């Protein structure tokens, strides 16, 4: 596939911009739309339905009625599994189209979506489908006159509020376990990245998901998202996005019906390099890849490198060399590893942080200029700041862009306390060839995911999610089923028969 090919295919895309409710695409009641442009070249992408309370009410009523009819939740695990397998096959058939839609809307490199993200989303769907008929409920040991079972029951109607940085992967992490647990679902994609999930909605119907069980309501967070989170007929709200909005979701739940809340929010993940790390070039490579891939727009990006002062200068030198591997390049070019940031607003926000870093007097290093970018594109050059301490705004706030901070440390104990001096607790990493030290550090780190001598290595079988202001609950793994269900205890009394 060459660049002209990709551009021709993008130009030929038929993009669905209406919501998908009760098995069909529908306009919003008042026909409001969202105006926006592609971060790749500024082309007009306006027209996405901007749903409001009335549209949300219609979607919730459809989801509720499908749930009450039991048309989906009463299907056996084997039947649900076959439906999701069919959906995975259909997504594979539309693999290229899904990758093109996400590239066009978010500006991330097509190569990332085509080779990595979309296949990963399909894999996640298959993983959950495969698990469902091997996943058992519990029975507690019987007494002479009683027996108890503990079963997982669907919540009912659940809303899934999505971010824009990896639309297909995060959708499948939530949608697959929510559906397999028997819930009826309403997805609210981010307004920046809604096209691919709207296509998936049609494929889901084709795969056999009954009408009303999988709805997509598009629109702004403050209107459509908020209306879902406050809705009295929704029993669970699962969100990936900023901690700021995550806190609002908790409040909406409290203000309405105490619906179950799952939050996967921000991060400022520490990457500790000990004096006892023996392979600094490899360590710098892994750090740069995880930090600058997707222009740093990944919640678990290792944005604070905490490096032993003895090796800091050498390590920074190695990192600076890595910058050239992450120069933004035309996202439609199949050779590009790194594309754009999602919007002009995001670009501006990141650049404001970079300005703050410069004003603070921290040493700054950036890659050379971007390649082959359209004059209307939005991107940020990968940047490293070397700072004295962990107290600055740059060290404490999530930037969600390609900005890495390096902070020196005098001891491994100090590294741990810098690492934990954050309101976030998503991911963390320790690089050391002393196994006692590495293990000890891993136990001290306040994070949902700790990597020892690795970063970002991933598998569907392990949970993903943070603590502190990084969130509540888990995506991925068998534990995800717990999120989209509640535990019911059934105590069964029986009269033992006297066998004398
Ligand atoms: P980011 O800061 O990364 O753009 P946000 O946290 O603002 O991410 O958005 C993540 C998702 O949450 C999006 O789908 C967005 O529309 C939605 N959202 C934003 N504000 C609200 C809100 N007040 N209530 C519900 N959903 C919201």
């Amino acid at each position: 596939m060459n660049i002209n090919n990709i551009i021709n295919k993008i130009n030929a895309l038929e993009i669905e911009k209406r919501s998908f409710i009760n098995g069909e695409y529908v306009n919003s009641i008042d026909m409001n739309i969202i105006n926006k442009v592609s971060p790749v070249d500024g082309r007009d992408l306006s027209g996405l339905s901007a749903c409001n309370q009335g549209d949300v009410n219609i979607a919730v009523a459809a989801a509720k009625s499908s749930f009450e009819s039991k048309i989906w939740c009463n299907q056996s695990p084997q039947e649900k599994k076959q439906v999701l397998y069919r959906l995975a096959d259909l997504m594979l058939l539309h693999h290229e189209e899904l990758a093109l839609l996400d590239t066009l809307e978010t500006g991330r490199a097509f190569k990332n979506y085509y080779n990595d993200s979309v296949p990963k989303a399909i894999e996640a769907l298959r993983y959950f489908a495969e698990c469902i008929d091997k996943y058992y409920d519990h029975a507690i040991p019987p007494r002479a006159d009683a027996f108890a079972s503990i079963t997982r029951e669907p919540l009912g109607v659940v809303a899934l509020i999505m971010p824009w940085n990896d639309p297909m992967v995060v959708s499948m992490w939530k949608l697959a376990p929510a559906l397999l647990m028997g819930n009826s679902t309403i997805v609210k994609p981010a307004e920046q990245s809604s096209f691919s999930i709207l296509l998936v909605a049609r494929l889901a119907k084709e795969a056999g998901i009954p009408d009303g069980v999988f709805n997509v309501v598009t629109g702004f967070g403050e209107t459509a998202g908020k209306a879902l989170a406050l809705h009295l007929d929704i029993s669970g709200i699962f969100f990936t996005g900023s901690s700021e909005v995550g806190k609002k979701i908790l409040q909406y739940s409290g203000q309405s019906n105490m619906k179950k809340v799952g939050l996967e929010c921000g991060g400022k993940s520490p990457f500790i390099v000990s004096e006892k790390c023996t392979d600094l070039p490899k360590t710098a490579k892994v750090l740069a890849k995880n930090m600058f891939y997707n222009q740093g727009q990944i919640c678990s990006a290792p944005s604070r490198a905490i490096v032993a002062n003895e090796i800091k200068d050498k390590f920074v030198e190695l990192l600076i060399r890595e910058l050239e591997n992450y120069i933004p390049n035309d996202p439609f070019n199949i050779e590009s590893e790194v594309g754009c940031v999602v919007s002009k607003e995001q670009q501006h926000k990141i650049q404001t942080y970079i300005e703050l870093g410069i004003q603070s007097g921290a040493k700054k290093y950036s890659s050379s200029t971007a390649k082959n970018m359209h004059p209307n594109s939005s991107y940020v050059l990968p940047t490293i700041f070397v700072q004295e301490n962990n107290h600055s705004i740059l060290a404490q706030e999530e930037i969600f862009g390609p900005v890495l901070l390096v902070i020196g440390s005098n001891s491994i104990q100090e590294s741990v306390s810098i690492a934990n001096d954050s309101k976030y607790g998503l991911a963390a990493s320790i690089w050391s060839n002393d196994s006692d030290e590495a293990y000890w550090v891993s136990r001290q780190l306040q994070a949902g995911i700790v990597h020892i001598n690795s970063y970002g290595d991933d598998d569907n079988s392990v949970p993903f999610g943070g603590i502190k202001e990084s969130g509540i609950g888990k995506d991925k793994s068998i534990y995800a089923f717990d999120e989209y269900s509640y535990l019911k205890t059934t105590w069964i009394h029986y009269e033992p028969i006297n066998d004398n």
Side-chain angles (χ1 to χ4, degrees):
M1 210 177 327
N2 64 36
I3 184 163
N4 289 331
N5 233 331
I6 295 179
I7 291 173
N8 289 341
K9 285 178 177 179
I10 294 250
N11 290 340
L13 283 172
E14 281 176 25
I15 303 174
E16 182 54 64
K17 297 177 181 170
R18 293 170 298 168
S19 289
F20 188 84
I21 299 176
N22 210 14
E24 55 184 358
Y25 292 113
V26 290
N27 285 313
S28 63
I29 298 169
D30 56 16
M31 301 292 281
N32 279 346
I33 55 159
I34 294 179
N35 294 315
K36 61 176 189 169
V37 297
S38 170
V40 181
D41 52 10
R43 78 177 65 193
D44 185 30
L45 295 179
S46 299
L48 186 71
S49 291
C51 293
N52 60 23
Q53 180 77 56
D55 305 297
V56 164
N57 289 345
I58 294 171
V60 175
K64 188 177 174 195
S65 138
S66 75
F67 183 72
E68 287 175 350
S69 76
K70 303 207 183 301
I71 188 169
W72 172 249
C73 73
N74 271 3
Q75 290 192 25
S76 69
Q78 290 80 2
E79 286 167 321
K80 292 194 188 95
K81 168 175 166 169
Q82 291 310 327
V83 172
L84 289 210
Y85 274 164
R86 278 200 294 277
L87 175 57
D89 290 345
L90 287 168
M91 284 176 68
L92 192 58
L93 269 179
H94 290 79
H95 168 189
E96 184 181 277
E97 196 178 347
L98 291 168
L100 291 168
L101 289 168
D102 281 345
T103 307
L104 183 64
E105 264 190 309
T106 67
R108 182 171 176 168
F110 173 73
K111 185 180 181 181
N112 291 179
Y113 281 123
Y114 188 76
N115 290 346
D116 186 17
S117 258
V118 178
K120 224 186 212 170
I122 297 170
E123 243 342 277
L125 193 52
R126 291 214 170 103
Y127 166 84
F128 284 114
E130 177 62 44
C131 287
I132 193 64
D133 57 356
K134 296 163 194 68
Y135 181 64
Y136 301 131
D137 287 332
H138 305 288
I140 63 161
R143 287 187 354 192
D145 65 347
F147 178 78
S149 69
I150 303 165
T151 51
R152 287 179 183 79
E153 307 290 335
L155 296 172
V157 179
V158 301
L160 313 172
I161 300 187
M162 296 297 161
W164 43 259
N165 63 332
D166 208 343
M168 284 290 94
V169 171
V170 182
S171 299
M172 293 308 128
W173 283 357
K174 295 190 194 303
L175 193 61
L179 287 171
L180 288 161
M181 281 282 106
N183 299 287
S184 287
T185 58
I186 301 173
V187 177
K188 208 300 277 173
E191 48 276 36
Q192 298 87 343
S193 62
S194 301
F195 299 162
S196 56
I197 194 74
L198 284 169
L199 169 57
V200 171
R202 173 167 65 76
L203 303 181
K205 177 166 173 147
E206 207 177 319
I209 294 186
D211 292 351
V213 171
F214 174 7
N215 307 279
V216 181
V217 169
T218 58
F220 291 111
E222 276 292 338
T223 44
K226 184 174 175 182
L228 287 165
L230 282 169
H231 209 289
L232 295 175
D233 286 332
I234 290 186
S235 354
I237 185 119
F238 298 89
F239 163 87
T240 294
S242 61
S243 300
E244 187 193 339
V245 176
K247 287 179 182 178
K248 288 188 188 172
I249 302 276
L250 277 171
Q251 288 171 357
Y252 300 148
S253 168
Q255 283 163 26
S256 53
N257 57 351
M258 287 174 73
K259 53 180 67 67
K260 191 171 181 182
V261 176
L263 304 172
E264 203 274 277
C265 299
K268 194 79 197 178
S269 298
F271 187 104
I272 298 178
V273 188
S274 155
E275 186 195 353
K276 294 177 184 161
C277 170
T278 52
D279 192 347
L280 291 183
K282 177 182 164 199
T283 309
K285 229 174 222 338
V286 174
L287 171 55
K289 175 160 196 288
N290 283 280
M291 183 61 232
F292 298 126
Y293 183 73
N294 195 16
Q295 289 259 279
Q297 300 170 116
I298 296 184
C299 50
S300 56
S303 50
R304 286 184 301 148
I306 302 161
V307 184
N309 276 326
E310 293 84 349
I311 54 168
K312 193 177 91 183
D313 290 349
K314 177 147 192 265
F315 191 68
V316 169
E317 223 172 88
L318 290 163
L319 279 174
I320 294 167
R321 271 189 239 155
E322 288 296 325
L323 284 175
E324 299 304 307
N325 296 327
Y326 298 94
I327 295 175
N329 196 346
D330 183 357
F332 294 155
N333 185 334
I334 189 68
E335 303 301 326
S336 302
E337 298 290 342
V338 178
C340 298
V341 294
V342 73
S343 61
K344 286 278 172 218
E345 295 77 49
Q346 186 67 11
Q347 181 186 28
H348 176 72
K349 187 178 147 204
I350 300 166
Q351 272 162 351
T352 307
Y353 277 114
I354 293 178
E355 273 311 310
L356 272 176
I358 295 169
Q359 283 163 22
S360 77
K363 274 192 215 137
K364 170 180 172 280
Y365 306 91
S366 284
S367 75
S368 52
T369 175
K371 296 180 201 158
N372 310 316
M373 282 301 198
H374 190 279
N376 296 333
S377 63
S378 311
Y379 63 87
V380 178
L381 296 176
T383 300
I384 299 170
F385 282 105
V386 180
Q387 287 210 323
E388 291 301 312
N389 62 51
N390 193 47
H391 307 313
S392 65
I393 289 179
L394 255 64
Q396 291 294 326
E397 290 187 8
E398 183 181 44
I399 299 174
F400 222 62
V403 183
L404 170 67
L405 249 73
V406 179
I407 302 164
S409 154
N410 291 316
S411 68
I412 197 70
Q413 291 86 343
E414 192 186 5
S415 297
V416 168
S417 77
I418 294 172
N420 289 339
D421 174 24
S422 169
K423 61 184 176 185
Y424 297 110
L426 186 50
S429 176
I430 163 69
W431 290 73
S432 169
N433 289 81
D434 174 338
S435 57
D436 287 346
E437 178 182 80
Y439 183 67
W440 178 81
V441 171
S442 75
R443 295 297 302 269
Q444 310 307 310
L445 289 170
Q446 297 164 0
I449 307 133
V450 177
H451 302 269
I452 296 180
N453 295 329
S454 71
Y455 204 90
D457 290 339
D458 200 13
D459 192 273
N460 283 311
S461 61
V462 292
F464 181 83
I467 57 167
K468 296 155 89 175
E469 293 189 24
S470 290
I472 299 169
K474 297 291 176 192
D475 283 325
K476 292 170 62 204
S477 86
I478 209 112
Y479 294 100
F481 290 121
D482 292 347
E483 304 289 331
Y484 303 95
S485 55
Y486 71 90
L487 285 182
K488 178 187 276 178
T489 298
T490 308
W491 186 272
I492 307 159
H493 169 78
Y494 68 97
E495 290 300 332
I497 295 172
N498 188 340
D499 53 4
N500 289 328

